[in-house]
Amino acid sequence: MKILFAASECAPLAKTGGLADVVGALPRELTRLGHEVTVVLPFYARIRRQIAGEPKYAARSITIPFRYYNRFVGLVDGGQRDGVQFYFVDCPELFDRAELYGPAGGEYSDNAERFGLFCRATIEASKLLGAPEVFHVHDWQAALIPVYLRTTYAADPALQGAATVLTLHNAAYQGKFPPNTTEDLLFPWDLFTMDKVEHYDRFNFLKGGIVFADKLTTVSRKYAEEIQTAEFGEQLEGVLRGRAGDLRGILNGVDSTLWNPATDGHLAAHYTAENLAGKQACRADLLHAFGLEHVAASTPVVGIVSRLVTQKGFDLVAAIAEELAARDLAVVALGAGDPYYEKLLRGWAFRHPAKVAVRLGYDETLAHKIEAGADLFLMPSRYEPCGLNQIYSLKYGTVPIVRATGGLDDTIEEWDAAQETGTGFKFAGYHPRDLLAAIDRALAAFRDQKVWTQLMRNGMAKEYGWKKAARAYVHVYEEAAQRGPWPLNRPS
Ligand code: ADP
Ligand code: GLC
């Protein structure tokens, strides 16, 4: 099939979180299955910097109309990478900026225009390049593509055959803007109703995508169920329940060319499940990087790599920070995001400099060093659509401690000492006591190195490749392509 991916992130070109990992890996796997995949991204400053020489333009000036003016967008041919064709939407006044979405913890004030333009430009680009059979669009930033296709472009003969699939990587980020966005993006006001893009008197990009896409997916089976409830649905549970028959949960995979302790170029040493010796060298290297060389071999090292936002559950860690610091363990944390959580971690490290070390910022190499060098990995998320770091941890023999939610629950199985089965430690309630109890179970298991090695190997033996997920997506694409004529089968 001919598939077009539209997304706001793609590793290694532009990344803030797991969305980039998925958009970096899934297209390549689809081409291996014989499909033709094009990825369209905004031409951010950081992508421009990664292009050698002058950008090569496939189109110089595509007109994107707005309410009071037109913008003129270029289409940069990013060439092929591993069989996947890349194009970048070039609009310097909107995308040639330091960040993807806004300054730390914030949003650019013109994000509706930036990603509205991205969606419309992607459709225009697809007409120049030859329309795909399926537009696979990711998260709110690309969610207006199905909306435009079924409204503004509904009568366009070039796009009649195109189906749409929307993947929700995180239902909490919806792209909510003032009602006037309707007119600014040249939609008719009859779109601004509660069965379409209106949501609590806001223009909601993600809701529009949920209503208008042919098929919906999210990134784990459990999260697909959770988002249909009030606790996790972020007020979209009603509209998601209305489309339950078209919603599938497909678990993300691991890109083993990037995340494999036997080959990872960021590490001081390599290792495998059979020969774990290199992991000790990675641990020493990690402790050195954080200035914790004095930590004894018998002391477990707990790693954290995370966007620092409410989702990730660090208020639970804050509530037990002093009790944890009284235990025999060391903590190495890497994260960036909300200044509130950055301050919280910094304060913890300041109070316990011999045990807790924190690095604030985004650091690819350090993220890999933590996955390899830590003994335990902590991910107490309030909710987690899939979560990739706990899966990377399994691959690296670093035992995860997670909250039993979303993809964390689907990927981690509680250690059973009697049967010697399981891959990590889980807790269900969102309570500091429950987290502390899970950590204590992990610390107790760590004391017996024979037990611990078995636990590490259980995780390392798990298969989390992309092939299975890619096949599941193809199935969804086929179903989407077979949909009846729009809008007759539109959900009410
Ligand atoms: P989310 O997408 O919600 O942030 P995931 O676990 O799916 O969570 O993916 C996070 C990805 O981002 C992983 O690849 C992780 O290594 C990376 N990451 C997160 N924070 C940082 C950071 N501060 N520095 C480097 N990589 C980071
Ligand atoms: C989102 C989610 C994360 C998921 C990632 C990739 O950022 O927060 O859980 O793994 O998308 O799908």
Side-chain angles (χ1 to χ4, degrees):
M1 291 181 107
K2 198 169 160 186
I3 303 146
L4 185 149
F5 271 58
S8 58
E9 299 190 20
C10 178
L13 292 165
K15 166 166 168 175
T16 70
L19 167 65
D21 298 35
V22 173
V23 179
L26 176 57
R28 197 188 323 137
E29 199 63 42
L30 289 165
T31 62
R32 286 201 189 116
L33 295 177
H35 302 283
E36 188 186 329
V37 189
T38 298
V39 176
V40 182
L41 304 165
F43 198 38
Y44 302 116
R46 66 185 66 174
I47 297 187
R48 183 183 288 272
R49 281 198 300 272
Q50 289 171 68
I51 297 261
E54 277 303 298
K56 187 177 139 204
Y57 283 88
R60 271 286 172 190
S61 174
I62 298 173
T63 307
I64 305 295
F66 288 91
R67 193 168 163 203
Y68 297 116
Y69 49 84
N70 293 332
R71 286 197 187 274
F72 302 96
V73 168
L75 185 65
V76 174
D77 181 346
Q80 292 223 345
R81 292 158 195 249
D82 297 320
V84 178
Q85 173 65 44
F86 284 77
Y87 287 99
F88 309 122
V89 171
D90 184 25
C91 184
E93 59 275 32
L94 297 185
F95 296 127
D96 199 7
R97 299 183 187 177
E99 301 299 332
L100 306 192
Y101 310 124
E107 300 271 309
Y108 292 127
S109 61
D110 55 356
N111 273 349
E113 177 169 3
R114 296 174 77 225
F115 292 104
L117 171 133
F118 172 65
C119 289
R120 198 159 175 166
T122 298
I123 295 174
E124 289 292 338
S126 79
K127 290 174 55 176
L128 293 174
L129 303 166
E133 286 157 270
V134 178
F135 285 87
H136 186 175
V137 309
H138 298 263
D139 277 352
W140 76 264
Q141 293 89 347
L144 286 191
I145 288 176
V147 183
Y148 275 123
L149 283 174
R150 303 304 170 214
T151 57
T152 316
Y153 289 84
D156 190 330
L159 296 162
Q160 288 308 306
T164 57
V165 174
L166 166 66
T167 296
L168 293 97
H169 295 264
N170 194 327
Y173 298 89
Q174 299 177 5
K176 300 186 235 187
F177 301 98
N180 259 347
T181 307
T182 315
E183 275 186 28
D184 293 342
L185 299 182
L186 296 180
F187 287 114
W189 275 108
D190 67 9
L191 201 72
F192 193 73
T193 55
M194 65 181 276
D195 61 333
K196 300 192 184 83
V197 304
E198 187 268 344
H199 194 239
Y200 294 92
D201 206 31
R202 309 278 279 168
F203 182 104
N204 188 309
F205 275 50
L206 190 64
K207 181 177 176 185
I210 293 170
V211 171
F212 283 96
D214 296 313
K215 290 282 169 188
L216 306 172
T217 72
T218 185
V219 287
S220 68
R221 204 169 301 168
K222 176 110 185 227
Y223 192 62
E225 287 165 16
E226 286 174 339
I227 50 176
Q228 297 180 51
T229 67
E231 188 182 354
F232 296 98
E234 303 285 342
Q235 299 182 311
L236 291 174
E237 59 273 12
V239 64
L240 284 162
R241 273 201 303 272
R243 298 228 47 196
D246 290 314
L247 170 63
R248 287 268 316 269
I250 301 175
L251 194 71
N252 291 331
V254 170
D255 183 345
S256 57
T257 62
L258 297 175
W259 296 95
N260 178 355
T263 54
D264 189 331
H266 296 289
L267 304 185
H270 291 141
Y271 58 94
T272 60
E274 294 72 44
N275 184 357
L276 288 163
K279 187 162 168 76
Q280 284 312 311
C282 290
R283 186 182 132 123
D285 178 53
L286 173 67
L287 290 174
H288 175 73
F290 275 91
L292 293 176
E293 295 89 342
H294 54 273
V295 169
S298 58
T299 300
V301 176
V302 181
I304 293 172
V305 178
S306 188
R307 290 185 298 117
L308 298 177
V309 292
T310 314
Q311 171 192 349
K312 300 294 177 179
F314 291 109
D315 36 9
L316 290 186
V317 178
I320 55 167
E322 298 313 304
E323 281 164 280
L324 274 184
R327 281 165 169 70
D328 180 22
L329 51 74
V331 177
V332 293
L334 167 67
D338 193 329
Y340 172 82
Y341 293 104
E342 292 193 347
K343 190 162 165 237
L344 208 137
L345 285 181
R346 211 183 305 124
W348 195 23
F350 182 76
R351 292 194 303 280
H352 305 282
K355 306 192 106 165
V356 180
V358 171
R359 196 70 55 80
L360 298 177
Y362 184 89
D363 187 331
E364 195 75 36
T365 296
L366 204 52
H368 286 248
K369 283 183 189 289
I370 292 175
E371 287 295 358
D375 299 296
L376 287 152
F377 194 88
L378 187 58
M379 221 166 150
S381 305
R382 189 181 287 264
Y383 71 91
E384 195 62 70
C386 176
L388 290 165
N389 279 119
Q390 85 282 10
I391 310 180
Y392 300 153
S393 299
L394 292 178
K395 288 271 145 220
Y396 282 67
T398 301
V399 176
I401 301 172
V402 303
R403 178 151 179 265
T405 181
L408 296 176
D409 199 27
D410 284 356
T411 52
I412 306 302
E413 188 192 331
E414 175 78 19
W415 168 249
D416 178 335
Q419 307 292 326
E420 298 206 338
T421 58
T423 53
F425 298 90
K426 288 206 276 199
F427 64 103
Y430 194 75
H431 300 296
R433 293 283 125 213
D434 296 351
L435 168 60
L436 192 59
I439 294 174
D440 281 337
R441 291 200 299 282
L443 298 181
F446 185 78
R447 277 183 218 117
D448 184 337
Q449 276 306 304
K450 214 170 133 264
V451 162
W452 195 255
T453 305
Q454 183 60 49
L455 179 45
M456 286 165 64
R457 289 202 165 118
N458 285 358
M460 295 177 90
K462 292 275 169 202
E463 255 312 313
Y464 285 107
W466 267 108
K467 187 156 267 128
K468 194 170 151 208
R471 290 215 171 95
Y473 278 109
V474 171
H475 188 68
V476 173
Y477 299 153
E478 284 166 354
E479 284 180 349
Q482 282 157 16
R483 77 194 152 79
W486 193 270
L488 291 179
N489 64 348
R490 188 162 85 193
S492 54

